[in-house]
């Protein structure tokens, strides 16, 4: 009887275990990216740019070529690769500290130039790798090691909504936010990633998918609770959906939830 | 005050508070996260302000701004972050502002690793950023000394209106030792009034401008020479060093700084038991470097051994000090690997038994 493979490791994902903590969704996001790259038949001409953060070793986890960038500079490195070789598919994989703090200038200008690259932006509301410090995306009142009394918005401002912020730029782009804390959300996230990579492959525009992710270790909770925390605390502040498409049909951002002060 | 067991990073943070520093700007990086975390928790208790900057580039420019107001301020980081701070540091030196910068070095280059290293010696002592400037660089070898030097750093910075760097490694940052803070501390330098601060002018004095731009080359040259005169004063007055075992005859003089010197001092004890004559010379200020003191100590030795957690950086200053008068050997580990007392003893014994000097290029 012929065997039917119903589930296999994507070709674009290297056959190695990752170092991610139990319940961390970095690994799920890697897998979705790899599946999309495979399904679009892009792996052979894809170059990934790894960030500085928990996903610094992403270059070991994909079986595509990679460059490792300095902290926050992945969009600049990606720009260099893409401008040198426009035929390549270039994606930057970045955390929220990497992209929205130290690398805010690089991402804004990369998006504004309309670099035809794809950014996978993993928002876990914290600095995972360095042990749980406040990120620009840390929620109001959320406790971290550098805001031990909870994020005080009167002192450090509100968490930055990156997708919404980049969607304000005039340059055409595809900007969306997704999540992966339930299988259904992951299916939608994959769809967003597929659109992002397709826009790049067609030479249309810059694309960025923000993906809400867990950090059970530094949030100080077990994995299941962490997925609930995403649903309960992150999704209300970071609405899911498409914020900008290159044909100019920008989605009107949802009204801000009342709890935000 | 009673002794308290503290981690190096915490002792550095507490020392800053004891020195009256109420401002910290920094960005997380391993292996010094305990400093910003300590300041985030401690500064609000003393009415101070902690700001997590969006990057080290920003942090270095935030301390530039804060220092211009005359308040005591510091930042801390580790090697890759210190590289990003070079912009701010150069402007701070050019504008003659007092700040304290802590570098808990990790192995490089690039992202490198997170384990202890001494590979930023050149960057710390020979400039780092652009332009003709110097940092006063202090290198502690214990948690107590880190706390003491950290407090002195603020006085030295104020006195010279110059950035002062406390240069440690991952070991100093992470190890725990008893620390004592004096209840009453006298500043190590007289503290001149800060008449230069840009804090608003009501017309009773000319406006104060914090600046490093001098488009007229003659004016800039005069400024460069003024800075040089200041560095010359540091060379004359601020050299600090220590030596161990120089009161008995010795054949080999070991030169090391920071925690590596601690390892070497353990080796000296072992060597003495084995009847090998060796002494240790430890620069505490790396700029100004104790050239004359080292030359004097080496006069009693047949050969010198430099031990560093790098491929050899301080050794260049040792060569300048000795001007070819003694053979100079080198023992180094890199990448976050440490040097054991046994490795030091072994090398010293070999040198004492006649190991020829290795020809080194560069
Ligand atoms: C110039 C520089 N500054 C600081 C660091 C230390 N560092 C490593 S990862 C990181 C934060 C990563 O957080 P994030 O981007 O949110 O990724 P996560 O680990 O949460 O996935 C920092 C500050 C560094 N490597 N380089
Ligand atoms: S520290 Fe957080 S982000 Fe990093 S691997 Fe662990 S769970 Fe994931
Ligand atoms: Mg993060």
């Amino acid at each position: 009887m012929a065997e039917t493979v119903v589930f296999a490791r994507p070709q674009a994902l290297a056959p190695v275990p990752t170092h991610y903590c139990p319940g961390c969704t970095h690994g799920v996001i890697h897998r979705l990216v790899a599946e999309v790259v495979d399904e679009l038949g892009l792996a052979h001409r894809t170059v990934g740019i790894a960030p500085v953060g928990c996903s610094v070793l992403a270059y070991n986890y994909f079986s595509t070529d990679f460059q490792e960038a300095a902290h926050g500079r992945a969009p600049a490195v990606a720009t260099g690769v893409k401008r040198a070789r426009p035929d390549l598919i270039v994606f930057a994989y970045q955390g929220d500290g990497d992209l929205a703090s130290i690398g805010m200038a690089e991402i804004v200008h990369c998006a504004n130039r309309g670099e035809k690259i794809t950014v996978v932006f993993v928002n876990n509301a914290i600095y995972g790798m360095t042990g749980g410090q406040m990120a620009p995306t840390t929620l109001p009142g959320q406790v971290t090691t550098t805001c031990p009394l909870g994020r005080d918005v009167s002192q450090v401002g509100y968490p930055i909504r990156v997708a919404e912020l980049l969607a304000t730029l005039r340059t055409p782009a595809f900007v969306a936010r997704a999540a992966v804390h339930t299988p259904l959300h992951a299916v939608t996230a994959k769809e967003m990633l597929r659109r992002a990579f397709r826009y790049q492959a067609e030479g249309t525009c810059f694309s960025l998918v923000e993906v809400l992710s867990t950090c059970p270790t530094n949030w100080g909770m077990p994995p299941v609770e962490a997925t609930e925390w995403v649903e309960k605390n992150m999704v209300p502040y970071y609405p899911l959906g498409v914020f900008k498409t290159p044909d100019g049909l920008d989605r009107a951002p949802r009204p801000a939830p009342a709890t935000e002060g | 005050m009673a002794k308290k067991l503290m981690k190096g990073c915490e002792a550095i943070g507490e020392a800053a508070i004891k020195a009256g520093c109420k401002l910290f700007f920094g960005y997380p990086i391993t292996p010094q996260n305990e400093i910003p975390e300590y300041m985030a928790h401690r500064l609000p208790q003393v009415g101070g302000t902690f700001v997590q900057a969006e990057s080290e580039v920003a942090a270095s420019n935030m301390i530039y701004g804060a220092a211009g107001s005359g308040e005591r301020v510091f930042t801390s980081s580790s090697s890759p972050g210190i590289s990003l701070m070079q912009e701010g540091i150069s402007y701070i030196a050019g504008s003659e502002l007092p700040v304290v910068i802590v570098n808990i070095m990790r192995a490089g280059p690039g992202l490198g690793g997170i384990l202890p290293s001494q590979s930023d010696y050149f960057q710390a002592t020979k400039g780092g950023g652009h332009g003709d400037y110097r940092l006063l660089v202090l290198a502690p070898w214990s948690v107590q000394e880190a706390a003491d030097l950290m407090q002195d750093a603020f006085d030295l910075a104020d006195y010279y209106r110059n950035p002062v760097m406390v240069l440690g490694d991952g070991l100093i940052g992470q190890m725990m030792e008893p620390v004592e803070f004096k209840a009453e501390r006298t500043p190590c330098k007289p503290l001149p009034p800060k008449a230069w601060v840009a804090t608003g002018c009501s017309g009773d004095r000319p406006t104060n401008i914090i600046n490093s731009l001098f488009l007229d080359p003659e004016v800039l040259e005069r400024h460069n020479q003024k800075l040089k005169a200041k560095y010359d004063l540091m060379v004359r007055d601020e050299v600090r060093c220590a030596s161990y075992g120089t009161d008995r005859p010795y054949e080999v003089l070991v030169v090391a700084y920071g925690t590596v010197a601690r390892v070497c001092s353990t080796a000296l004890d072992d060597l003495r038991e084995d009847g090998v004559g060796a002494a240790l010379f430890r620069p505490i200020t790396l700029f100004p470097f104790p050239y004359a003191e080292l030359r004097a100590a080496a006069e009693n030795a047949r050969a010198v051994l430099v031990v560093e957690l790098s491929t050899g950086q301080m050794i260049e200053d040792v060569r300048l000090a000795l001007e070819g008068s003694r053979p100079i050997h080198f023992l180094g580990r890199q990448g976050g690997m440490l040097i054991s007392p046994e490795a030091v003893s072994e090398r010293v014994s070999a040198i004492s038994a006649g190991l020829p000097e290795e020809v080194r290029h560069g």
Side-chain angles (χ1 to χ4, degrees):
Chain A
M1 210 178 73
E3 278 180 25
T4 316
V5 178
V6 291
F7 190 79
R9 180 185 287 276
Q11 288 292 311
L13 211 55
V16 293
T18 71
H19 70 286
Y20 298 116
C21 308
C24 175
T25 45
H26 262 304
V28 175
I29 300 166
H30 283 20
R31 183 179 174 102
L32 297 179
V33 170
E35 285 179 359
V36 165
V37 167
D38 277 0
E39 287 164 20
L40 295 176
L42 301 173
H44 64 289
R45 57 185 179 109
T46 293
V47 177
I49 313 296
V52 171
C54 274
S55 48
V56 65
L57 299 179
Y59 52 74
N60 287 331
Y61 303 150
F62 288 91
S63 51
T64 65
D65 284 353
F66 250 83
Q67 287 199 27
E68 165 57 25
H71 196 20
R73 316 291 183 233
V77 177
T79 298
V81 177
K82 189 74 182 187
R83 293 284 174 137
R85 286 287 306 274
D87 55 314
L88 299 178
I89 299 296
V90 183
F91 78 92
Y93 187 106
Q94 298 185 262
D96 43 352
D98 193 77
L99 182 142
S101 190
I102 195 166
M104 190 56 119
E106 283 75 11
I107 189 61
V108 170
H109 289 282
C110 180
N112 196 53
R113 287 191 304 270
E115 298 296 344
K116 292 171 187 58
I117 64 150
T118 301
V119 178
V120 181
F121 169 44
V122 180
N123 176 0
N124 58 8
I126 206 151
Y127 283 49
M129 184 179 216
T130 40
Q133 294 84 7
M134 184 184 70
T137 46
T138 293
L139 292 173
Q142 186 186 336
V143 170
T144 74
T145 58
T146 50
C147 49
L149 303 177
R151 182 182 186 125
D152 177 355
V153 296
S154 75
Q155 292 302 308
V156 300
Y158 282 88
I160 299 176
R161 294 189 177 105
V162 169
E164 286 87 332
L165 188 146
L166 293 178
T168 64
L169 298 174
R170 178 81 181 79
T171 311
F174 174 74
V175 180
R177 184 181 292 116
V180 292
H181 59 292
T182 68
L184 191 59
H185 281 99
V187 169
T188 316
K190 183 172 169 186
E191 200 39 49
M192 300 292 182
L193 288 166
R194 193 196 315 275
R195 287 178 71 181
F197 276 91
R198 197 185 299 129
Y199 279 126
Q200 177 177 183
E202 290 164 357
T204 311
C205 63
F206 170 86
S207 54
L208 176 139
V209 181
E210 174 171 342
V211 187
L212 305 183
S213 190
T214 55
C215 181
T217 301
N218 288 300
W219 293 353
M221 54 185 81
V224 173
E225 227 174 274
T227 56
E228 289 161 6
W229 199 85
V230 172
E231 182 64 40
K232 199 164 152 275
N233 297 291
M234 290 186 80
V235 175
Y237 190 89
Y238 296 114
L240 308 177
V242 176
F243 290 84
K244 189 179 173 75
T245 57
D247 46 28
L249 298 176
D250 297 9
R251 199 193 83 151
R254 284 185 197 168
T259 49
E260 225 188 283
Chain B
M1 247 181 242
K3 285 199 175 181
K4 207 177 147 190
L5 200 59
M6 289 185 106
K7 233 187 194 189
C9 280
E10 293 170 355
I12 285 170
E14 190 56 35
I17 287 176
K18 293 283 190 292
C21 174
K22 294 240 165 66
L23 295 163
F24 180 93
F25 303 87
Y27 187 77
I29 186 166
T30 311
Q32 60 80 55
N33 286 317
E34 292 81 351
I35 300 178
E37 288 170 358
Y38 188 85
M39 299 317 277
H41 145 84
R42 230 3 220 122
L43 277 171
Q45 297 175 348
V46 296
T49 300
F50 164 88
V51 176
Q52 182 174 313
E54 67 271 29
S55 70
E56 292 88 351
V57 177
S60 69
N61 286 286
M62 288 174 182
I63 60 170
Y64 169 74
S69 74
E71 300 298 325
R72 285 191 159 183
V73 59
F74 95 101
T75 188
S76 71
S77 190
S78 177
S79 312
I82 296 289
S83 290
L84 279 191
M85 288 185 182
Q86 295 304 331
E87 173 183 284
I89 295 174
S90 170
Y91 281 66
I92 289 164
S95 309
E96 296 191 84
L97 293 181
V99 302
V100 175
I101 302 148
V102 178
N103 180 4
I104 303 294
M105 291 179 280
R106 64 189 235 183
L111 211 41
I114 57 170
L115 295 177
S117 166
Q118 295 183 318
S119 50
D120 303 344
Y121 180 94
F122 285 153
Q123 186 195 51
T125 61
K126 312 290 178 192
H130 64 282
D132 218 346
Y133 75 92
R134 297 291 189 159
L135 305 179
L136 209 154
V137 185
L138 306 169
W141 82 332
S142 67
V143 175
Q144 178 68 59
E145 193 175 49
D148 294 343
L149 292 181
M150 186 67 189
Q151 294 173 81
D152 289 353
F154 285 96
D155 301 335
L156 291 162
D158 278 345
Y159 182 79
Y160 288 103
R161 287 182 58 187
N162 202 68
V164 175
M165 178 173 276
V166 175
L167 190 69
D169 58 45
L171 279 179
I172 267 284
Q174 300 302 319
M175 68 190 185
M176 289 190 89
E177 287 187 318
V179 186
E180 186 174 11
F181 289 100
K182 289 198 192 83
E184 286 295 324
R185 182 182 166 272
T186 351
C188 73
K189 300 297 282 185
L191 300 178
K194 296 180 174 178
W196 44 266
V197 296
T199 50
C201 174
S202 51
D204 51 351
R205 56 158 170 79
T207 52
N208 282 340
I209 298 169
I210 310 286
N211 175 40
S212 61
L213 174 69
F214 302 94
L215 288 174
D216 181 337
E218 278 181 35
V219 176
L220 181 51
E221 186 181 54
R222 271 203 299 281
H223 178 60
N224 290 138
Q225 288 169 357
K226 177 182 168 213
L227 296 181
K228 170 73 164 78
K230 209 159 74 169
Y231 307 142
D232 287 345
L233 280 184
M234 295 179 195
V235 167
R236 195 192 67 189
D237 296 338
E238 305 307 336
V239 169
R240 300 189 194 189
C241 56
S243 40
Y244 310 86
T246 43
D247 48 343
R248 320 167 184 213
Y250 51 96
E251 273 183 282
V252 180
L253 181 67
V254 179
V255 187
Y257 70 96
T259 55
V260 176
R262 282 286 272 287
V263 172
C264 294
S265 77
T266 307
L268 288 196
D269 297 341
D270 300 344
L271 285 164
R272 183 156 312 133
E273 281 171 24
D274 297 347
V276 181
L280 171 65
F281 183 86
R282 176 171 79 95
I284 297 172
T285 50
L286 302 182
F287 180 84
F289 190 82
Y291 292 109
E293 294 75 5
L294 174 57
R295 191 161 37 239
E299 257 158 34
N300 305 317
R302 210 161 44 72
V304 167
L305 171 65
V306 180
V307 187
E308 292 181 73
L309 292 179
S310 75
T311 54
Q313 299 195 10
M314 181 183 66
I315 191 172
E316 298 199 355
D317 280 321
V318 175
R319 286 210 194 95
L320 285 175
L322 301 188
E323 294 176 319
S325 63
R326 293 287 179 284
I328 301 173
H329 298 256
F330 182 72
L331 175 63
R333 292 300 298 265
Q334 302 86 33
M337 298 299 292
L338 299 179
I339 294 171
S340 65
E342 294 73 33
V344 177
S345 310
E346 212 174 280
R347 187 65 64 88
V348 169
S349 303
I351 294 168
S352 132
L355 182 77
E357 184 184 23
E358 196 186 322
V359 181
R360 288 178 59 88
H361 304 280

